[in-house]
Amino acid sequence: GQNIDQPTEMTATEGAIVQINCTYQTSGFNGLFWYQQHAGEAPTFLSYNVLDGLEEKGRFSSFLSRSKGYSYLLLKELQMKDSASYLCAVRDNTGRRALTFGSGTRLQVQP
Amino acid sequence: GAVVSQHPSWVICKSGTSVKIECRSLDFQATTMFWYRQFPKQSLMLMATSNEGSKATYEQGVEKDKFLINHASLTLSTLTVTSAHPEDSSFYICSAQGRVDTEAFFGQGTRLTVV
């Protein structure tokens, strides 16, 4: 099975940098995803890591360490519109390719 | 990214009736589609996995006779909530997976309210 942990809530200031951590324990691993979800909307894809290291995409970066079962999402130059839930999800390697989601981190960006 | 269209975006139905939700992949062939449910302030919970042309695989605790899933083509999967009850009120989201593993695309979600 899968067990995914991430902080419930975080608060940060507009223009700042915030790091959202995710730890996971899985019986099999085939990639880690980060999604952004605004209230009442479906998740939107942010990043995908399957190998160790940092993936950068504009203001968003995601890091993975498979040996530590650890990932983080880094958001730079925070904007008010970044206030949302951020979901960490892991795909297993059973072949069905479904994602198991963490509980999500609600980020509040303040002026 | 690829586009997944889910319809309807919201629906209100009476207790005891059935509701069908459609999930279409518009510009790619979805070999696998997933159906998730999300209750307020909770994360997405996988309900079932469907592969085109075969029976869906349901997660433990999900009633297959209540949540009927059909994946008749590579671009369409449907979820029918049968004999809906107020406790079935939730946000239902589909996800489509193509042959490449790097992304999983979500539909817009359907908010179901059973009164």
Side-chain angles (χ1 to χ4, degrees), chain A residues 27-41:
Chain A
S27 53
F29 177 83
N30 190 21
L32 187 142
F33 295 76
W34 283 96
Y35 286 86
Q36 180 191 63
Q37 186 179 28
H38 286 98
E41 299 180 10

Side-chain angles (χ1 to χ4, degrees), chain B residues 6 8-9 21 35-39 47 66-67 79 81 85 87-94 107-114:
Chain B
Q6 188 173 339
S9 56
I21 302 170
W35 288 95
Y36 294 85
R37 180 168 52 184
Q38 186 178 34
F39 291 105
M47 298 175 66
K66 181 170 183 62
F67 298 99
L79 166 68
V81 183
H85 291 285
E87 56 265 31
D88 298 325
S89 298
S90 187
F91 192 50
Y92 292 86
I93 310 174
C94 71
Q108 304 95 317
T110 298
R111 183 156 306 282
L112 171 63
T113 303
V114 185

Side-chain angles (χ1 to χ4, degrees), chain B:
Chain B
V3 178
V4 177
S5 176
Q6 188 173 339
H7 177 81
S9 56
W10 62 271
V11 58
I12 300 172
C13 70
K14 290 185 177 179
S15 188
T17 61
S18 295
V19 173
K20 180 185 280 189
I21 302 170
E22 292 189 349
C23 181
R24 294 180 183 273
S25 57
L26 297 185
D27 52 0
F28 70 104
Q29 293 183 331
T31 54
T32 306
M33 286 189 176
F34 306 96
W35 288 95
Y36 294 85
R37 180 168 52 184
Q38 186 178 34
F39 291 105
K41 295 191 177 181
Q42 295 186 23
S43 192
L44 283 77
M45 297 299 295
L46 180 67
M47 298 175 66
T49 302
S50 74
N51 294 298
E52 184 264 339
S54 61
K55 290 184 178 180
T57 302
Y58 290 80
E59 295 300 298
Q60 193 171 6
V62 179
E63 299 175 58
K64 63 179 181 181
D65 294 330
K66 181 170 183 62
F67 298 99
L68 302 179
I69 291 172
N70 183 280
H71 192 164
S73 76
L74 285 171
T75 59
L76 175 64
S77 176
T78 60
L79 166 68
T80 302
V81 183
T82 63
S83 186
H85 291 285
E87 56 265 31
D88 298 325
S89 298
S90 187
F91 192 50
Y92 292 86
I93 310 174
C94 71
S95 172
Q97 176 79 54
R99 291 186 170 86
V100 180
D101 271 350
T102 55
E103 293 188 36
F105 302 99
F106 284 86
Q108 304 95 317
T110 298
R111 183 156 306 282
L112 171 63
T113 303
V114 185
V115 297

Side-chain angles (χ1 to χ4, degrees), chain A residues 10-90:
Chain A
M10 297 183 72
T11 303
T13 305
E14 191 176 15
I17 298 173
V18 70
Q19 177 174 313
I20 303 174
N21 296 322
C22 172
T23 57
Y24 64 90
Q25 296 159 343
T26 62
S27 53
F29 177 83
N30 190 21
L32 187 142
F33 295 76
W34 283 96
Y35 286 86
Q36 180 191 63
Q37 186 179 28
H38 286 98
E41 299 180 10
T44 55
F45 172 80
L46 291 178
S47 69
Y48 168 74
N49 295 70
V50 68
L51 299 176
D52 291 350
L54 187 68
E55 294 282 341
E56 296 186 78
K57 257 189 191 180
R59 295 191 298 116
F60 295 80
S61 303
S62 58
F63 171 82
L64 175 68
S65 169
R66 289 171 296 170
S67 62
K68 295 181 179 178
Y70 168 69
S71 173
Y72 67 73
L73 178 70
L74 194 70
L75 292 77
K76 303 175 185 176
E77 301 170 15
L78 280 173
Q79 301 174 9
M80 298 298 290
K81 67 179 183 179
D82 296 330
S83 293
S85 285
Y86 291 85
L87 309 176
C88 172
V90 173

